[in-house]
Amino acid sequence: MTQTSSARPAPAATTGPVLVVGAGLLGASIGLGLRHLGVEVWLQDASPTAEAVAQDIGAGRSCRADGPPPEPALVVVATPPDVTAQTVTEALGRHPGAVVLDIASVKEAVLEGVRELGGDLARYVGTHPMAGREKSGPVAARGELFTSMPWVVCDSGSSSPAALAAAKNLAVDLGATVTFMDAREHDATVALISHLPQVMSSLLASRLQDTPLHHLSLAGQGLRDTTRIAASDPHLWVQILSANAGPLVASLHGVRQDLDRLIATLQGPEAPGARLDIAQLIAEGNAGRARIPGKHGGAPRAFATLTVLVGDVPGQIARLLTEIGEIGVNLEDLRLEHSPGQPVGLAEVSVLPNRRKELVEALQERGWKVVQ
C-alpha cells in the first residue's frame, strides 16, 4: 500500500540509488517510504515472487525484471538473521563504493560474522528498526511503518562517519527516532523488551491448544492482548532466539525465579505473609508497567479513561473517532474490546485528565453511551 498524502514530502537526506536486499515486510516498507520521498530504490530477493510483489506495490524496481541496477550508494540488507552476515559481506565486496547496513533484530552475532568473513567494517553499520507487524511479506508492507518508532544504530567500532550518517539519515527520512548503542547493549536490551515478550506470549498461547472452544469463547481482551504476538512467524523467531540466546536466557532465569516464588506462595495461600507476597508481586508488575514511556516518549503520563459503548455496525468506530476530533479533544490512546456475537463493543478512550469531563458530556450530548 503506497502512501496517499497529497502534500509534497520534504527532500530526503538519503542519497540513491538504494538497493534493498530482502523484499519482505521491513525491506518493502523501507522501499515504500523512500520511494515516497523520491529516492531511487531497487529490490533484490531470493524469492522471485516476493521481489515481484514488492515492485507491484511500489516499493522499488525489481533487479530481475529491470536489472542490472545502477551502482548503489546505499545497500540495505533486510534478510533473515541467519544469512545476514553473509549477505552483508557479499554486498560490501560487490559494491565497493556503497555503505552497507543491515536491519536484523540481533546485532552482535551479525557484526562478528561480518568481521570473521573479512567485510569492510568502515562501510558497514548494524541497525535495527523497532517496528513490525504480526503479518509478514511485502503484501503487509507500509511506508509509514517506522513513523515515530525507535531505530537503533550500532557502530561496528570501525564505521566511518559517512557510514553512520547514512544510517542515521535513512532512519530519520523514514520518520523514526534514532538511538545509538553498541551491539552488545542492543542485544541485551531487546532480549528483555522484545524477545522475552514474544516467548511469554507464545508460552501462554500454547496452553490454549487443547482448551475446549466453548471455554475460549469466554475469553476477554486480556487474553487477546497478551497472546497477540504469539501469531508471529516461527521460522523467523527460531533464528532470532538462537542468535540472541545468551541475553535471553539471563532474562528467563529471572522469570523462573518469579514463577518459583509465586508457585511456592500459591501452594500455601493461607500461610502468614502469602497474601502480602501476592500483592507485592502484582505491585512490582505495576511499577514496571508504569516505567514504559507513553506515546510521546520520555516519562509515562497519567491519562484519564472513559469507556464508550459502540454498536456492532459498520462505521461506528470511524464515527466515534471523527466526533472526538470535532469536539477538539486529543485522543491519547484507544483500546477496543469486543466479544464475538455480542451486539456492542467497548471503546476505552484515554485523554488528558482535565479534558475527560468535557469529552464525556460532549459525547453524551451526541447520543453516545458513556460508562462512567
Side-chain angles (χ1 to χ4, degrees), residues 20-29 32 42-65 78-80 136-141:
V20 178
V21 183
L25 168 64
L26 296 182
S29 294
L32 285 172
W42 288 76
L43 304 164
Q44 178 182 317
D45 195 282
S47 166
T49 300
E51 190 173 307
V53 170
Q55 177 176 250
D56 288 345
I57 65 172
R61 299 177 64 181
S62 165
C63 290
R64 279 187 176 84
T79 57
S136 61
V139 293

Tab-separated table of all heavy atoms in Angstrom, residues 20-29 32 42-65 78-80 136-141:
chain	number	residue	atom	x	y	z
A	20	VAL	N	17.769	-2.510	-1.863
A	20	VAL	CA	17.212	-3.222	-0.713
A	20	VAL	C	17.285	-4.708	-1.013
A	20	VAL	O	16.660	-5.195	-1.964
A	20	VAL	CB	15.757	-2.800	-0.435
A	20	VAL	CG1	15.190	-3.603	0.726
A	20	VAL	CG2	15.677	-1.305	-0.136
A	21	VAL	N	18.063	-5.427	-0.221
A	21	VAL	CA	18.220	-6.874	-0.393
A	21	VAL	C	17.332	-7.567	0.630
A	21	VAL	O	17.609	-7.559	1.828
A	21	VAL	CB	19.695	-7.298	-0.208
A	21	VAL	CG1	19.840	-8.796	-0.461
A	21	VAL	CG2	20.606	-6.505	-1.116
A	22	GLY	N	16.251	-8.139	0.153
A	22	GLY	CA	15.255	-8.738	1.034
A	22	GLY	C	13.976	-7.939	0.957
A	22	GLY	O	13.873	-6.864	1.552
A	23	ALA	N	12.997	-8.450	0.213
A	23	ALA	CA	11.779	-7.679	-0.059
A	23	ALA	C	10.608	-8.155	0.783
A	23	ALA	O	9.476	-8.231	0.302
A	23	ALA	CB	11.433	-7.756	-1.545
A	24	GLY	N	10.880	-8.471	2.047
A	24	GLY	CA	9.808	-8.851	2.954
A	24	GLY	C	9.125	-7.635	3.545
A	24	GLY	O	9.170	-6.537	2.981
A	25	LEU	N	8.513	-7.821	4.700
A	25	LEU	CA	7.771	-6.734	5.347
A	25	LEU	C	8.626	-5.488	5.534
A	25	LEU	O	8.255	-4.384	5.102
A	25	LEU	CB	7.231	-7.210	6.693
A	25	LEU	CG	6.676	-6.124	7.627
A	25	LEU	CD1	5.458	-5.465	7.015
A	25	LEU	CD2	6.366	-6.694	9.003
A	26	LEU	N	9.783	-5.637	6.191
A	26	LEU	CA	10.591	-4.463	6.506
A	26	LEU	C	11.281	-3.908	5.276
A	26	LEU	O	11.321	-2.690	5.067
A	26	LEU	CB	11.617	-4.806	7.585
A	26	LEU	CG	11.046	-5.198	8.947
A	26	LEU	CD1	12.175	-5.458	9.937
A	26	LEU	CD2	10.124	-4.112	9.485
A	27	GLY	N	11.846	-4.779	4.449
A	27	GLY	CA	12.527	-4.300	3.252
A	27	GLY	C	11.586	-3.562	2.321
A	27	GLY	O	11.912	-2.471	1.820
A	28	ALA	N	10.400	-4.135	2.088
A	28	ALA	CA	9.432	-3.473	1.220
A	28	ALA	C	8.908	-2.182	1.843
A	28	ALA	O	8.641	-1.205	1.136
A	28	ALA	CB	8.279	-4.427	0.906
A	29	SER	N	8.763	-2.156	3.165
A	29	SER	CA	8.315	-0.928	3.838
A	29	SER	C	9.354	0.177	3.693
A	29	SER	O	9.012	1.350	3.483
A	29	SER	CB	8.039	-1.200	5.321
A	29	SER	OG	6.943	-2.078	5.489
A	32	LEU	N	8.980	1.465	0.166
A	32	LEU	CA	7.815	2.341	0.033
A	32	LEU	C	8.086	3.732	0.603
A	32	LEU	O	7.744	4.750	-0.009
A	32	LEU	CB	6.612	1.724	0.741
A	32	LEU	CG	5.925	0.549	0.063
A	32	LEU	CD1	4.890	-0.069	0.990
A	32	LEU	CD2	5.262	0.994	-1.239
A	42	TRP	N	15.970	0.017	-5.677
A	42	TRP	CA	15.986	-1.262	-6.395
A	42	TRP	C	15.801	-2.381	-5.380
A	42	TRP	O	16.233	-2.276	-4.236
A	42	TRP	CB	17.297	-1.429	-7.161
A	42	TRP	CG	17.377	-0.521	-8.357
A	42	TRP	CD1	17.634	0.824	-8.347
A	42	TRP	CD2	17.167	-0.880	-9.719
A	42	TRP	NE1	17.596	1.329	-9.626
A	42	TRP	CE2	17.319	0.298	-10.489
A	42	TRP	CE3	16.895	-2.079	-10.368
A	42	TRP	CZ2	17.191	0.311	-11.872
A	42	TRP	CZ3	16.756	-2.088	-11.753
A	42	TRP	CH2	16.901	-0.896	-12.489
A	43	LEU	N	15.152	-3.462	-5.815
A	43	LEU	CA	14.789	-4.563	-4.936
A	43	LEU	C	15.428	-5.861	-5.398
A	43	LEU	O	15.436	-6.166	-6.603
A	43	LEU	CB	13.268	-4.746	-4.918
A	43	LEU	CG	12.432	-3.522	-4.525
A	43	LEU	CD1	10.983	-3.726	-4.923
A	43	LEU	CD2	12.548	-3.261	-3.030
A	44	GLN	N	15.934	-6.610	-4.440
A	44	GLN	CA	16.517	-7.921	-4.738
A	44	GLN	C	16.087	-8.895	-3.657
A	44	GLN	O	16.202	-8.600	-2.467
A	44	GLN	CB	18.040	-7.803	-4.770
A	44	GLN	CG	18.781	-9.101	-5.016
A	44	GLN	CD	20.284	-8.884	-4.992
A	44	GLN	OE1	20.795	-7.923	-5.548
A	44	GLN	NE2	20.994	-9.783	-4.325
A	45	ASP	N	15.577	-10.041	-4.063
A	45	ASP	CA	15.132	-11.032	-3.091
A	45	ASP	C	15.363	-12.423	-3.655
A	45	ASP	O	15.273	-12.641	-4.874
A	45	ASP	CB	13.641	-10.846	-2.767
A	45	ASP	CG	13.225	-11.592	-1.506
A	45	ASP	OD1	13.038	-12.823	-1.579
A	45	ASP	OD2	13.096	-10.943	-0.452
A	46	ALA	N	15.670	-13.381	-2.776
A	46	ALA	CA	15.858	-14.765	-3.208
A	46	ALA	C	14.573	-15.337	-3.789
A	46	ALA	O	14.614	-16.252	-4.614
A	46	ALA	CB	16.322	-15.610	-2.027
A	47	SER	N	13.437	-14.776	-3.379
A	47	SER	CA	12.142	-15.222	-3.894
A	47	SER	C	11.696	-14.323	-5.050
A	47	SER	O	11.443	-13.126	-4.836
A	47	SER	CB	11.081	-15.185	-2.789
A	47	SER	OG	9.783	-15.290	-3.332
A	48	PRO	N	11.583	-14.854	-6.262
A	48	PRO	CA	11.086	-14.027	-7.368
A	48	PRO	C	9.700	-13.450	-7.092
A	48	PRO	O	9.402	-12.327	-7.486
A	48	PRO	CB	11.063	-14.998	-8.554
A	48	PRO	CG	12.027	-16.085	-8.189
A	48	PRO	CD	11.929	-16.216	-6.698
A	49	THR	N	8.880	-14.227	-6.396
A	49	THR	CA	7.521	-13.753	-6.108
A	49	THR	C	7.545	-12.558	-5.174
A	49	THR	O	6.859	-11.548	-5.416
A	49	THR	CB	6.688	-14.888	-5.490
A	49	THR	OG1	6.614	-15.981	-6.400
A	49	THR	CG2	5.277	-14.401	-5.166
A	50	ALA	N	8.317	-12.649	-4.080
A	50	ALA	CA	8.402	-11.524	-3.145
A	50	ALA	C	8.938	-10.279	-3.841
A	50	ALA	O	8.432	-9.170	-3.622
A	50	ALA	CB	9.291	-11.893	-1.953
A	51	GLU	N	9.938	-10.453	-4.672
A	51	GLU	CA	10.516	-9.312	-5.386
A	51	GLU	C	9.486	-8.676	-6.324
A	51	GLU	O	9.362	-7.457	-6.396
A	51	GLU	CB	11.737	-9.778	-6.169
A	51	GLU	CG	12.560	-8.659	-6.765
A	51	GLU	CD	13.851	-9.179	-7.379
A	51	GLU	OE1	14.609	-9.888	-6.676
A	51	GLU	OE2	14.098	-8.869	-8.571
A	52	ALA	N	8.726	-9.524	-7.016
A	52	ALA	CA	7.718	-9.007	-7.942
A	52	ALA	C	6.582	-8.297	-7.217
A	52	ALA	O	6.110	-7.243	-7.647
A	52	ALA	CB	7.169	-10.155	-8.798
A	53	VAL	N	6.137	-8.890	-6.101
A	53	VAL	CA	5.051	-8.262	-5.338
A	53	VAL	C	5.501	-6.913	-4.785
A	53	VAL	O	4.754	-5.922	-4.830
A	53	VAL	CB	4.579	-9.189	-4.200
A	53	VAL	CG1	3.627	-8.453	-3.261
A	53	VAL	CG2	3.906	-10.430	-4.764
A	54	ALA	N	6.732	-6.862	-4.264
A	54	ALA	CA	7.247	-5.597	-3.735
A	54	ALA	C	7.304	-4.530	-4.816
A	54	ALA	O	6.999	-3.359	-4.576
A	54	ALA	CB	8.623	-5.817	-3.117
A	55	GLN	N	7.680	-4.937	-6.024
A	55	GLN	CA	7.670	-3.972	-7.127
A	55	GLN	C	6.251	-3.540	-7.464
A	55	GLN	O	5.979	-2.354	-7.681
A	55	GLN	CB	8.325	-4.571	-8.372
A	55	GLN	CG	8.279	-3.637	-9.579
A	55	GLN	CD	9.001	-4.182	-10.788
A	55	GLN	OE1	10.041	-3.680	-11.179
A	55	GLN	NE2	8.453	-5.227	-11.398
A	56	ASP	N	5.328	-4.481	-7.466
A	56	ASP	CA	3.939	-4.162	-7.817
A	56	ASP	C	3.305	-3.177	-6.849
A	56	ASP	O	2.445	-2.375	-7.246
A	56	ASP	CB	3.103	-5.448	-7.859
A	56	ASP	CG	3.432	-6.319	-9.064
A	56	ASP	OD1	4.078	-5.810	-9.996
A	56	ASP	OD2	3.042	-7.511	-9.055
A	57	ILE	N	3.688	-3.219	-5.557
A	57	ILE	CA	3.087	-2.291	-4.599
A	57	ILE	C	3.807	-0.941	-4.577
A	57	ILE	O	3.414	-0.037	-3.840
A	57	ILE	CB	3.069	-2.877	-3.170
A	57	ILE	CG1	4.482	-3.079	-2.627
A	57	ILE	CG2	2.269	-4.165	-3.129
A	57	ILE	CD1	4.521	-3.475	-1.166
A	58	GLY	N	4.869	-0.810	-5.390
A	58	GLY	CA	5.543	0.480	-5.496
A	58	GLY	C	6.736	0.661	-4.602
A	58	GLY	O	7.163	1.799	-4.361
A	59	ALA	N	7.329	-0.456	-4.116
A	59	ALA	CA	8.466	-0.339	-3.197
A	59	ALA	C	9.795	-0.147	-3.909
A	59	ALA	O	10.810	0.108	-3.258
A	59	ALA	CB	8.536	-1.590	-2.311
A	60	GLY	N	9.815	-0.266	-5.227
A	60	GLY	CA	11.048	-0.088	-5.974
A	60	GLY	C	11.015	-0.895	-7.255
A	60	GLY	O	9.991	-1.486	-7.619
A	61	ARG	N	12.155	-0.934	-7.944
A	61	ARG	CA	12.266	-1.655	-9.200
A	61	ARG	C	12.941	-3.003	-8.972
A	61	ARG	O	13.921	-3.101	-8.238
A	61	ARG	CB	13.062	-0.828	-10.217
A	61	ARG	CG	12.422	0.504	-10.547
A	61	ARG	CD	13.289	1.316	-11.491
A	61	ARG	NE	13.437	0.661	-12.794
A	61	ARG	CZ	14.168	1.159	-13.782
A	61	ARG	NH1	14.832	2.304	-13.617
A	61	ARG	NH2	14.256	0.521	-14.939
A	62	SER	N	12.415	-4.018	-9.599
A	62	SER	CA	12.943	-5.370	-9.444
A	62	SER	C	14.238	-5.542	-10.220
A	62	SER	O	14.315	-5.209	-11.402
A	62	SER	CB	11.904	-6.380	-9.935
A	62	SER	OG	12.480	-7.651	-10.117
A	63	CYS	N	15.252	-6.079	-9.543
A	63	CYS	CA	16.514	-6.364	-10.227
A	63	CYS	C	16.328	-7.451	-11.282
A	63	CYS	O	17.018	-7.458	-12.301
A	63	CYS	CB	17.576	-6.795	-9.219
A	63	CYS	SG	18.150	-5.476	-8.129
A	64	ARG	N	15.393	-8.386	-11.045
A	64	ARG	CA	15.144	-9.433	-12.029
A	64	ARG	C	14.465	-8.871	-13.266
A	64	ARG	O	14.827	-9.212	-14.397
A	64	ARG	CB	14.250	-10.518	-11.427
A	64	ARG	CG	14.976	-11.536	-10.565
A	64	ARG	CD	14.023	-12.662	-10.172
A	64	ARG	NE	14.712	-13.704	-9.434
A	64	ARG	CZ	14.946	-13.668	-8.133
A	64	ARG	NH1	14.526	-12.623	-7.424
A	64	ARG	NH2	15.585	-14.653	-7.543
A	65	ALA	N	13.485	-8.006	-13.046
A	65	ALA	CA	12.699	-7.513	-14.171
A	65	ALA	C	13.397	-6.373	-14.901
A	65	ALA	O	13.335	-6.286	-16.131
A	65	ALA	CB	11.324	-7.056	-13.673
A	78	ALA	N	17.999	-6.665	4.312
A	78	ALA	CA	16.794	-6.959	5.093
A	78	ALA	C	16.469	-8.440	5.001
A	78	ALA	O	15.317	-8.833	4.827
A	78	ALA	CB	15.621	-6.113	4.586
A	79	THR	N	17.498	-9.267	5.121
A	79	THR	CA	17.341	-10.713	5.022
A	79	THR	C	17.163	-11.331	6.411
A	79	THR	O	17.405	-10.669	7.421
A	79	THR	CB	18.581	-11.329	4.349
A	79	THR	OG1	19.745	-10.963	5.101
A	79	THR	CG2	18.720	-10.836	2.922
A	80	PRO	N	16.774	-12.617	6.487
A	80	PRO	CA	16.676	-13.283	7.795
A	80	PRO	C	18.019	-13.266	8.522
A	80	PRO	O	19.083	-13.273	7.887
A	80	PRO	CB	16.243	-14.708	7.432
A	80	PRO	CG	15.531	-14.554	6.128
A	80	PRO	CD	16.264	-13.478	5.398
A	136	SER	N	3.507	-10.937	7.670
A	136	SER	CA	4.816	-10.902	7.048
A	136	SER	C	4.679	-10.768	5.544
A	136	SER	O	3.580	-10.855	4.985
A	136	SER	CB	5.596	-12.178	7.396
A	136	SER	OG	4.913	-13.326	6.924
A	137	GLY	N	5.820	-10.547	4.887
A	137	GLY	CA	5.842	-10.470	3.437
A	137	GLY	C	5.554	-9.077	2.921
A	137	GLY	O	5.066	-8.200	3.646
A	138	PRO	N	5.841	-8.839	1.646
A	138	PRO	CA	5.664	-7.494	1.084
A	138	PRO	C	4.224	-7.015	1.046
A	138	PRO	O	3.973	-5.811	1.060
A	138	PRO	CB	6.253	-7.627	-0.328
A	138	PRO	CG	6.202	-9.096	-0.637
A	138	PRO	CD	6.412	-9.783	0.667
A	139	VAL	N	3.265	-7.944	1.005
A	139	VAL	CA	1.864	-7.506	0.969
A	139	VAL	C	1.471	-6.798	2.256
A	139	VAL	O	0.491	-6.046	2.285
A	139	VAL	CB	0.908	-8.692	0.713
A	139	VAL	CG1	1.101	-9.251	-0.666
A	139	VAL	CG2	1.103	-9.783	1.755
A	140	ALA	N	2.224	-7.028	3.347
A	140	ALA	CA	1.924	-6.373	4.623
A	140	ALA	C	2.695	-5.070	4.793
A	140	ALA	O	2.551	-4.394	5.814
A	140	ALA	CB	2.252	-7.315	5.783
A	141	ALA	N	3.516	-4.704	3.820
A	141	ALA	CA	4.391	-3.539	3.951
A	141	ALA	C	3.599	-2.240	4.019
A	141	ALA	O	2.540	-2.096	3.402
A	141	ALA	CB	5.370	-3.490	2.783
